[in-house]
Amino acid sequence: MLQRKMRPSELHFTQDSVRPVFRDGRHIYELLNALNAGEVDPLRDLDPLEVVCDQGKWWSLDNRRLWALKVFDSTSARKAWVRVAARDVDRKFHTKLTTRNGGTCVRISSSRSPSPQQSR
């Protein structure tokens, strides 16, 4: 997979909604708090986001981390960069592609509030 760095604002969500907890049990708000506190550097401390370029848009397969990164990027004076690993369009991408809004925001499943939309 080809790796590069990108801004979270360049990436789109593939899913319509996400659960608020990572597979390891940590809450997505813990990541957001660590980003805000400067305890986590998105470029150095996070694994690359898996992304796919399809029809001229970059789509993330890691929607929970992308949510935290987008919120951090839109509310912080420090602008975020993140490593991404580009992969080919495949079955995993098509399975995750449930968005109904072009990937501009994602709903946290325990909440009715959508994530911030990216500015244009």
Side-chain angles (χ1 to χ4, degrees):
M1 280 190 251
L2 175 67
Q3 287 199 15
R4 60 185 286 187
K5 70 178 188 177
M6 295 181 77
R7 295 287 311 278
S9 59
E10 298 176 85
L11 301 171
H12 295 80
F13 297 102
T14 50
Q15 295 174 305
D16 182 53
S17 66
V18 295
R19 293 191 176 128
V21 178
F22 290 105
R23 288 186 201 126
D24 68 2
R26 288 178 305 122
H27 203 281
I28 60 174
Y29 292 106
E30 290 178 45
L31 175 55
L32 179 57
N33 290 339
L35 289 164
N36 284 326
E39 298 166 0
V40 171
D41 180 312
L43 200 52
R44 285 182 294 191
D45 299 328
L46 296 179
D47 289 336
L49 298 177
E50 285 189 85
V51 298
V52 169
C53 186
D54 185 52
Q55 298 181 8
K57 285 184 175 181
W58 286 98
W59 300 89
S60 174
L61 302 178
D62 299 305
N63 292 276
R64 283 182 286 252
R65 281 190 291 149
L66 180 59
W67 177 87
L69 289 161
K70 280 183 172 282
V71 173
F72 170 70
D73 192 49
S74 68
T75 59
S76 173
R78 300 182 319 245
K79 294 303 172 191
W81 288 90
V82 65
R83 288 179 301 139
V84 299
R87 57 185 291 148
D88 292 331
V89 173
D90 59 8
R91 183 179 187 88
K92 182 176 181 180
F93 168 69
H94 287 291
T95 300
K96 283 200 168 203
L97 190 61
T98 61
T99 183
R100 291 181 254 163
N101 58 33
T104 59
C105 63
V106 67
R107 184 176 50 80
I108 307 299
S109 61
S110 66
S111 166
R112 293 180 185 237
S113 61
S115 65
Q117 293 189 3
Q118 71 185 56
S119 57
R120 298 195 182 237

